[in-house]
Amino acid sequence: EYFEVMSPTLSVLSKSTSQSCGFIANFYDNVNNMNLHGCYYTNEIMDVTDLLLSIEENRKKLVELGFFSDIPKNEEVTHFLSLVFFQLNSVLQKEVDEFYSQYRNDFLVGIQLRTGGKLSDSYESSMFLTEEKLPLAYAFIMEAIRNTTMPNVTVFLSTDSSYVQADAKKNLPYTVISADMYKIGHSSPERQRQKVLDCTKRAVVDIYLLSKCSVLITTGHSSFGDTANALSLATTKLHLFV
């Protein structure tokens, strides 16, 4: 595998998932003929960044291969790996492009509100935002948007809760949009009994669209939000802790 020429310690990236991730396309074929195929855990890609940079031979190799002109920072490597490993397949890409094109002239603010618990459409034991803390979250969001001083603000909202989606549209003084062509839910079959097909598509689409926003606000300690952050080139990235 490509990454094994850098260091055997990165062979974790060769571990495939047990589930199909057919909504993510095969990886770039034009980047040094990497020719990688299969499915990979995005959190493994992020977790391996620190290991990658802690080994001097790998730091030098990234520069030698022409990926970076200087020894890269952690976030630069994470962003690079995310772009390599996270690409939509052609069918889903077309659907997302059609959705995104409607708001291409707007100033998009991406917001991820992760709830968990009973507030989530797919119940789970993990808890992030509670109903009682939503007003604090909205206040944080509105302050962040006011600081941008940009017109034509449109909020792209990603959430695991239909209740929060409706509540945010009611309480945020902006146009709030969501990728409602797919069902809200958890993409893990261990956490959701119903079929996960639409929910997996929703998760992939949400991450991709969040990464395209000019401002990105994600729920603290959420790996979902961390993936969007890794893909994003937004100059303003904020973590929501309430």
Side-chain angles (χ1 to χ4, degrees), residues 8-9 28 31 49 86 94 102 113 146-147 188 204 225 227:
T9 58
Y28 291 120
V31 180
T49 303
F86 195 103
K94 182 179 178 181
Q102 302 173 64
L113 297 178
R146 275 195 292 267
N147 288 336
S188 169
V204 170
T227 303

Side-chain angles (χ1 to χ4, degrees), residues 84-202:
V84 171
F85 283 86
F86 195 103
Q87 299 177 75
L88 307 188
N89 69 20
S90 58
V91 175
L92 201 57
Q93 184 71 62
K94 182 179 178 181
E95 293 181 7
V96 172
D97 287 344
E98 290 175 355
F99 177 86
Y100 180 69
S101 66
Q102 302 173 64
Y103 310 98
R104 198 175 296 276
N105 296 323
D106 294 2
F107 185 80
L108 283 176
V109 177
I111 298 172
Q112 180 231 1
L113 297 178
R114 177 86 158 88
T115 63
K118 294 181 179 180
L119 202 56
S120 171
D121 283 17
S122 303
Y123 173 78
E124 57 179 303
S125 57
S126 300
M127 290 286 295
F128 294 84
L129 292 174
T130 62
E131 184 176 353
E132 294 73 22
K133 291 184 177 180
L134 288 177
L136 294 175
Y138 299 150
F140 179 90
I141 292 165
M142 286 188 283
E143 183 63 25
I145 294 177
R146 275 195 292 267
N147 288 336
T148 67
T149 67
M150 295 295 293
N152 301 323
V153 169
T154 296
V155 169
F156 174 73
L157 174 64
S158 171
T159 180
D160 57 348
S161 169
S162 297
Y163 174 85
V164 170
Q165 180 171 297
D167 194 62
K169 290 181 178 180
K170 185 191 309 180
N171 288 285
L172 288 174
Y174 308 100
T175 299
V176 179
I177 61 172
S178 298
D180 291 329
M181 57 279 225
Y182 298 114
K183 183 179 177 61
I184 291 175
H186 205 289
S187 57
S188 169
E190 289 79 16
R191 298 184 183 180
Q192 181 160 290
R193 295 179 182 176
Q194 67 183 62
K195 292 183 178 179
V196 299
L197 184 65
D198 272 6
C199 298
T200 302
K201 286 184 179 180
R202 177 66 175 251

Side-chain angles (χ1 to χ4, degrees), residues 192-222:
Q192 181 160 290
R193 295 179 182 176
Q194 67 183 62
K195 292 183 178 179
V196 299
L197 184 65
D198 272 6
C199 298
T200 302
K201 286 184 179 180
R202 177 66 175 251
V204 170
V205 166
D206 276 9
I207 289 172
Y208 182 85
L209 289 171
L210 284 170
S211 75
K212 295 299 181 184
C213 295
S214 299
V215 172
L216 183 57
I217 302 172
T218 55
T219 303
H221 305 304
S222 167

Side-chain angles (χ1 to χ4, degrees), residues 12-13 40-53 74-75 77-79 81-82 85-86 207 222-231:
V12 64
L13 290 175
Y40 297 80
Y41 289 110
T42 55
N43 63 323
E44 286 182 351
I45 297 168
M46 291 186 288
D47 291 344
V48 83
T49 303
D50 288 338
L51 176 60
L52 181 96
L53 293 181
N74 281 40
E75 57 267 25
V77 178
T78 300
H79 176 67
L81 292 177
S82 298
F85 283 86
F86 195 103
I207 289 172
S222 167
S223 58
F224 188 101
D226 289 343
T227 303
N229 263 295
L231 286 165

